[in-house]
Amino acid sequence: MFSGPTMDHTYNTLFETFQVNGEDLKFYNCRNLSPEKYDRLPYSIRVLLESAVRNCDEFHVTKKDVETILDWNDIQLKETEISFKPSRVILQDFTGVPAVVDFAAMRDAVKRLGGDPMKVNPICPADLVVDHSIQVDFSGRSDSLKKNQDLEFERNKERFKFLKWGASTLRNMIIVPPGSGIVHQVNLEYLARVVFTKDGVCFPDSVVGTDSHTTMINGLGIVGWGVGGIEAEAVMLGQTISMVLPQVIGYKISGKIGPYATSTDIVLTITKHLRSVGVVGKFVEFFGPGVEELSVADRATISNMCPEYGATVGFFALDRIGVDYLRQTNRDPERIAVIEAYLKAAGLFRNYSNDCEDPVYSQVVELDLETVVSSVSGPKRPQDRVPVNKMKGDFAECLTNKVGFKGFGLPSDKLNTQVPFIYDNKEYVLRHGSTVIAAITSCTNTSNPSVMLGAGLLAKKAVEAGLSVNPYVKTSLSPGSGVVTYYLEESGVVPALNQLGFGIVGYGCMTCIGNSGPLPDVIVEAIEKGDLVCCSVLSGNRNFEGRVHPNTRANYLASPLLVVAYALAGRVDIDFKTEPLGYNPEGKPIFLADIWPLRSEIHEVERKHVIPAMFQEVYEKIQKGNHQWNSLEVVESDLYPWEASSTYIQKPPFFDDMTKEIPPVKPIVNAKVLLMLGDSVTTDHISPAGSISRTSPAARFLQLKGVVPRDFNSYGARRGNDAIMTRGTFANVRLVNKLVSNPGPKTLHIPSGKVMDVFDAAEAYKADNIPLIVIAGKDYGCGSSRDWAAKGPHLLGIKAVIAESYERIHRSNLIGMGIVPLQFLDGQTAASLGLTGKESYAINLGDNIQPRQTVSVIVDSGKTFDAILRFDTDVEIAFYRNGGILKYMLRKMLD
């Protein structure tokens, strides 16, 4: 990563010196390019500008990039390409394992093609946090944490050993062991530099991560967003990101937060608002006097859900509250002094009360914090906010609405279905709306002491009032770092949380990413017997259908306080104002208002108990790991010794047919449609995620390898084995494929007319050398960044996707794996063109392809239509010509 200027550096005249604590430090004063233009730039764009100036070498980053960014006000609407080089990369283990697997496979390929395999190392600093492997197998008991962690190591020993090998041989990479916390919270509390100093040169921290919620770090004044695992690997190898200079939506916040509102309510309100505004592909930058009402944890909560409102970043420039947070989290005082002095000198420090500092934005929208009310979102999407006081009626409407994001399509004679069951020798009844999972989980909220302590205080008051949670409700608490445990214990709320079943079950994402673990058999049987719409309530950021648990058809995002409340109620169709949560031993009704802690009460507890010493104690030992991690034996070798018997780690076939020469681009001919899909197909529908079904192709493969069902583990845990991941691609039970009549992981093999598993159909096509395509509607690939949502389709033999529109990261990932993203012309859809999905297709590509050109698609039914080639930049075309970004990088290394 370039820091200081050479004598002939294009912008060495911008190099200036400033002094902190008697030390001379240097930086690029980009304001000197043009004070008038610079002062009008949004703060997030100033970070892009500094990176372009500092890294300008007229090869990866050019003077034209600098001039384009500086002229943002005039150019923002022109979709102009720029290059950006982030300061670092962050990964979690689900996406980190395949990245390390690819690095290991690239070393093998470089050696086979005559190069030096030791050239394959991260050039850009990379941090990997193991947080996605632990599941809620045990909950509601005192030993849940130990049992879940023991199972985590039992299931993932091969993966963890592989990661330790990567840490020992791949230079410039830090791995944070399992049991430490959630990647984004660890990033916020510990890993974030805010400002880098290298060779005496200061520059802003910026980051890309292999998880779309990397944006959480925007709350601490750091520009960062999620990218595909493939793109992140290229950055690790020293490449820039090619991106379109974005519009920046200014989100003005005013007013004060009401006494009963939480940061979760604010972010759910903002998510719905910005979804209606339309911010996909844009930056959002928060400003206005109301920002000073928000702690860094509140801001991070808002930034965390940036993917849910659709923006690339949700940025808060650093201010005095941010500096106070650095002190609270025990950052080095000397570093804090450097951070504050540099950001002020560079024009990157913010005073939100001074509107003279407000830049020019593409568009300004506003929120008065006083209008925020208690809310949840669901039952199937994060943007579908429901005020809590309307929840009962909204759920009732969802039951009878036609099947969709706000409907389950139940007939009227099924609305009152009740199914009795016996649990722990006592009879209970399940019905539509019953809460069966209540999880305080996810970095979105567990990073925020106000809502975590609020949940603890609510639990304490509930216990004191004599309330309890039905024992069949699967309750859990999975903090984002050990600091949470520390302050919950110090504040005295842990006994009450334990009594209600919210004991700590592990440190990781857990329920939020589908690692909710099994429900009791009697619960599953009752749900299936009555075809019940039962519910999960979680303090997470994603509630797409089939994500949390296969048996919870309705899933609601809520604050940790409301998670506890809905667990106490045992149902979501409750009017908290008129209906009690329960009754005390004397028969007195207890309402939610009776036990809800005020915001001022929560803040007083937070002030007393969230202190720097906690962060110091937790993070001093974070890289040391626990006994299980430290006892793992690692092979010392530059090349990984692949084990043929392993069902977790295998060498992927991405480079098997690779040559030094770049092959010509050829048309795609005689292609068949593997899947005919609708709108909002998420990466959860595409990428293998969650538990491995016992009837799936992946399960059959594992059983042939001698693995018994209880040891299947999750798809996420097996991301290092392409054979399993390919079989799990498009394996979501809620996938709606128009080629078959029922939802699920099935498709029609057109030549035979047989309905079969998606993988089996792809294998049949492959045997006949028939290329495949996917046809889809709007927002194809929305949701979390998942590299296997592109790697899996590539290995299935999919050569192109034709969709009405794409989610930004997923389109990039498709190109990164050599898949062509085509987009229907405006006003055209598969339906308007009369496509059935049973035709054969030819896509007219050639060696002279250009960004966003129109190409013809010829259908054997006699139809021909045009589509837009969604290679948006010359760099993306270069990636495609090479067969994907990894082969592009490999050829660069060989050169």
Side-chain angles (χ1 to χ4, degrees):
M1 185 164 51
F2 183 82
S3 294
T6 59
M7 292 297 292
D8 58 350
H9 188 276
T10 306
Y11 295 103
N12 57 10
T13 57
L14 301 181
F15 218 44
E16 291 189 2
T17 300
F18 69 106
Q19 196 171 78
V20 182
N21 297 327
E23 180 184 6
D24 285 340
L25 296 170
K26 297 181 179 180
F27 76 108
Y28 289 91
N29 190 344
C30 298
R31 189 173 185 272
N32 290 341
L33 288 168
S34 170
E36 182 182 359
K37 290 182 179 180
Y38 187 83
D39 291 344
R40 298 179 66 195
L41 290 178
Y43 285 71
S44 52
I45 298 298
R46 297 179 195 186
V47 175
L48 301 185
L49 178 62
E50 190 283 336
S51 176
V53 166
R54 175 168 40 86
N55 292 293
C56 183
D57 59 1
E58 294 298 349
F59 178 63
H60 293 100
V61 183
T62 66
K63 187 176 180 181
K64 182 181 177 183
D65 290 316
V66 173
E67 292 169 349
T68 296
I69 300 169
L70 185 64
D71 289 335
W72 174 85
N73 274 294
D74 298 324
I75 291 177
Q76 56 171 303
L77 299 177
K78 298 180 179 178
E79 296 193 345
T80 305
E81 175 192 350
I82 62 166
S83 294
F84 173 56
K85 184 172 281 192
S87 304
R88 61 188 174 99
V89 175
I90 194 161
L91 312 99
Q92 36 91 338
D93 59 303
F94 269 21
T95 48
V97 164
V100 179
V101 165
D102 289 346
F103 268 72
M106 287 173 74
R107 282 191 172 184
D108 287 353
V110 167
K111 184 177 181 180
R112 175 176 63 82
L113 293 171
D116 178 7
M118 289 307 293
K119 284 186 177 180
V120 183
N121 282 297
I123 297 169
C124 182
D127 304 316
L128 189 156
V129 180
V130 182
D131 71 345
H132 272 50
S133 300
I134 191 166
Q135 296 183 187
V136 191
D137 290 284
F138 295 90
S139 62
R141 45 191 287 176
S142 60
D143 60 351
S144 295
L145 174 61
K146 182 180 185 305
K147 282 188 167 291
N148 287 329
Q149 287 183 333
D150 287 346
L151 269 176
E152 177 188 23
F153 270 84
E154 181 183 325
R155 289 171 174 149
N156 297 286
K157 188 175 181 179
E158 287 183 54
R159 296 172 64 247
F160 291 170
K161 285 176 67 175
F162 175 70
L163 286 174
K164 280 195 76 172
W165 169 84
S168 69
T169 188
L170 293 172
R171 296 188 293 271
N172 212 17
M173 173 177 270
I174 294 172
I175 291 184
V176 177
S180 303
I182 302 174
V183 57
H184 307 305
Q185 188 163 341
V186 174
N187 191 20
L188 186 73
E189 295 176 352
Y190 174 68
L191 293 171
R193 283 74 156 178
V194 186
V195 170
F196 274 87
T197 302
K198 184 175 181 182
D199 300 328
V201 179
C202 291
F203 53 94
D205 187 359
S206 58
V207 61
V208 291
T210 54
D211 188 287
S212 55
H213 294 103
T214 298
T215 54
M216 183 169 179
I217 206 62
N218 299 164
L220 191 57
I222 297 169
V223 171
W225 63 86
V227 296
I230 306 150
E231 194 175 10
E233 290 169 37
V235 175
M236 290 167 70
L237 289 165
Q239 294 299 296
T240 57
I241 287 177
S242 180
M243 60 183 289
V244 172
L245 186 66
Q247 297 178 50
V248 182
I249 305 300
Y251 199 95
K252 186 174 184 178
I253 298 178
S254 60
K256 295 183 181 295
I257 306 168
Y260 298 102
T262 69
S263 59
T264 314
D265 301 322
I266 296 170
V267 72
L268 296 181
T269 301
I270 289 172
T271 298
K272 183 173 184 177
H273 185 193
L274 285 175
R275 272 288 175 184
S276 67
V277 170
V279 294
V280 173
K282 302 174 184 178
F283 283 13
V284 172
E285 188 166 301
F286 296 90
F287 74 108
V291 173
E292 294 190 341
E293 294 293 312
L294 304 174
S295 68
V296 166
D298 293 336
R299 299 172 190 182
T301 298
I302 294 166
S303 296
N304 178 282
M305 286 192 71
C306 181
E308 282 67 49
Y309 46 82
T312 304
V313 302
F315 185 72
F316 292 84
L318 199 78
D319 65 344
R320 60 175 181 80
I321 293 173
V323 173
D324 290 342
Y325 178 82
L326 295 175
R327 296 190 184 102
Q328 182 189 46
T329 51
N330 197 49
R331 265 45 177 232
D332 179 7
E334 292 188 3
R335 283 303 306 161
I336 294 173
V338 170
I339 289 167
E340 186 171 4
Y342 164 70
L343 293 178
K344 287 179 176 178
L348 296 170
F349 196 82
R350 194 73 162 91
N351 177 359
Y352 287 102
S353 295
N354 183 3
D355 60 8
C356 293
E357 294 184 4
D358 292 349
V360 175
Y361 293 112
S362 310
Q363 177 186 354
V364 173
V365 293
E366 299 188 33
L367 172 69
D368 182 347
L369 292 174
E370 293 177 13
T371 65
V372 173
V373 298
S374 189
S375 303
V376 298
S377 280
K380 301 180 184 183
R381 295 191 304 182
Q383 63 263 41
D384 293 328
R385 184 181 69 89
V386 185
V388 167
N389 61 7
K390 296 182 179 179
M391 178 63 172
K392 184 172 183 174
D394 188 86
F395 182 79
E397 291 176 3
C398 286
L399 289 178
T400 55
N401 287 346
K402 68 178 183 179
V403 175
F405 297 125
K406 292 288 288 185
F408 298 99
L410 296 187
S412 57
D413 61 340
K414 298 293 184 181
L415 294 179
N416 297 315
T417 301
Q418 298 188 16
V419 181
F421 65 98
I422 304 296
Y423 187 84
D424 281 350
N425 300 314
K426 185 176 178 181
E427 184 173 281
Y428 299 92
V429 174
L430 281 187
R431 58 185 183 80
H432 301 303
S434 292
T435 304
V436 294
I437 291 177
I440 300 175
T441 181
S442 171
C443 53
T444 306
N445 284 289
T446 70
S447 62
N448 194 324
S450 67
V451 290
M452 296 300 289
L453 288 167
L457 291 172
L458 189 146
K460 189 169 184 284
K461 293 183 178 187
V463 169
E464 290 169 352
L467 298 180
S468 61
V469 175
N470 285 328
Y472 64 81
V473 179
K474 187 164 189 176
T475 48
S476 62
L477 167 58
S478 51
S481 79
V483 174
V484 179
T485 304
Y486 206 136
Y487 65 65
L488 289 178
E489 289 176 344
E490 290 294 309
S491 61
V493 299
V494 167
L497 287 166
N498 286 338
Q499 188 168 330
L500 295 183
F502 289 97
I504 292 173
V505 295
Y507 295 92
C509 297
M510 303 188 86
T511 300
C512 187
I513 58 163
N515 286 0
S516 54
L519 288 171
D521 289 343
V522 291
I523 299 295
V524 174
E525 290 166 6
I527 292 171
E528 292 178 346
K529 180 179 179 181
D531 192 25
L532 297 176
V533 180
C534 286
C535 307
S536 75
V537 184
L538 66 154
S539 62
N541 46 45
R542 292 280 164 86
N543 57 341
F544 299 128
E545 197 171 9
R547 177 184 176 96
V548 176
H549 193 281
N551 294 109
T552 57
R553 292 164 66 184
N555 304 280
Y556 288 93
L557 305 182
S559 69
L561 293 87
L562 286 175
V563 171
V564 176
Y566 282 112
L568 289 164
R571 58 194 177 97
V572 300
D573 56 342
I574 180 174
D575 183 342
F576 285 127
K577 187 174 182 179
T578 62
E579 298 177 77
L581 290 171
Y583 297 85
N584 68 9
E586 290 74 40
K588 177 186 174 183
I590 306 297
F591 291 85
L592 182 57
D594 298 329
I595 62 173
W596 190 271
L598 294 177
R599 190 172 176 86
S600 58
E601 180 183 356
I602 297 168
H603 282 177
E604 179 59 22
V605 175
E606 181 180 352
R607 185 187 65 79
K608 287 182 180 178
H609 296 292
V610 184
I611 58 176
M614 294 180 177
F615 294 88
Q616 179 179 359
E617 183 170 330
V618 168
Y619 285 111
E620 271 182 348
K621 19 182 211 193
I622 193 167
Q623 289 187 46
K624 296 176 182 177
N626 55 29
H627 170 72
Q628 289 164 305
W629 175 262
N630 293 328
S631 65
L632 293 174
E633 296 182 2
V634 177
V635 176
E636 293 186 9
S637 171
D638 295 336
L639 300 177
Y640 185 70
W642 308 98
E643 298 177 18
S645 61
S646 175
T647 56
Y648 279 93
I649 305 294
Q650 285 297 326
K651 181 180 175 182
F654 303 137
F655 311 107
D656 287 355
D657 60 350
M658 180 180 167
T659 62
K660 288 185 178 181
E661 298 75 27
I662 300 174
V665 175
K666 296 180 179 179
I668 299 170
V669 296
N670 192 35
K672 293 291 186 182
V673 177
L674 183 63
L675 295 151
M676 188 89 167
L677 305 171
D679 295 342
S680 297
V681 172
T682 73
T683 50
D684 286 335
H685 289 112
I686 306 167
S687 179
S691 302
I692 297 174
S693 167
R694 296 188 181 195
T695 61
S696 67
R700 294 195 294 271
F701 175 84
L702 286 169
Q703 287 173 321
L704 285 173
K705 295 288 185 179
V707 180
V708 296
R710 67 179 175 83
D711 293 331
F712 281 175
N713 211 326
S714 66
Y715 282 113
R718 294 188 180 273
R719 281 192 178 188
N721 188 336
D722 62 277
I724 292 169
M725 298 302 286
T726 308
R727 286 167 170 80
T729 302
F730 292 108
N732 190 295
V733 296
R734 305 295 183 192
L735 180 72
V736 177
N737 174 17
K738 297 176 184 179
L739 294 179
V740 293
S741 55
N742 297 315
K746 301 284 185 179
T747 197
L748 177 69
H749 179 247
I750 295 164
S752 68
K754 294 180 179 178
V755 174
M756 56 182 71
D757 287 315
V758 172
F759 172 79
D760 294 336
E763 287 293 287
Y765 284 122
K766 192 178 295 184
D768 293 332
N769 293 315
I770 296 175
L772 300 173
I773 65 171
V774 170
I775 296 177
K778 298 182 180 69
D779 298 328
Y780 181 73
C782 56
S784 294
S785 161
R786 299 189 187 277
D787 58 338
W788 272 102
K791 288 179 177 177
H794 165 74
L795 292 178
L796 286 174
I798 293 169
K799 304 299 182 186
V801 177
I802 310 175
E804 292 175 48
S805 63
Y806 293 88
E807 196 276 338
R808 178 185 63 85
I809 299 174
H810 186 62
R811 184 193 63 82
S812 172
N813 278 357
L814 290 174
I815 298 165
M817 289 310 301
I819 296 174
V820 180
L822 291 169
Q823 186 166 314
F824 289 110
L825 299 181
D826 285 346
Q828 291 188 344
T829 66
S832 71
L833 292 168
L835 306 178
T836 67
K838 297 180 181 180
E839 309 92 345
S840 292
Y841 292 75
I843 300 170
N844 189 19
L845 299 176
D847 218 27
N848 59 343
I849 53 175
Q850 301 295 321
R852 297 184 74 95
Q853 77 175 66
T854 299
V855 299
S856 62
V857 181
I858 302 168
V859 189
D860 68 350
S861 62
K863 296 184 176 72
T864 298
F865 62 94
D866 289 337
I868 301 169
L869 186 63
R870 284 300 311 276
F871 298 146
D872 291 353
T873 66
D874 289 331
V875 173
E876 289 179 344
I877 287 179
F879 290 163
Y880 179 71
R881 287 183 182 280
N882 278 269
I885 195 168
L886 296 180
K887 290 181 180 178
Y888 171 87
M889 287 303 307
L890 222 158
R891 289 190 175 99
K892 289 286 185 184
M893 281 184 267
L894 289 169
D895 288 341

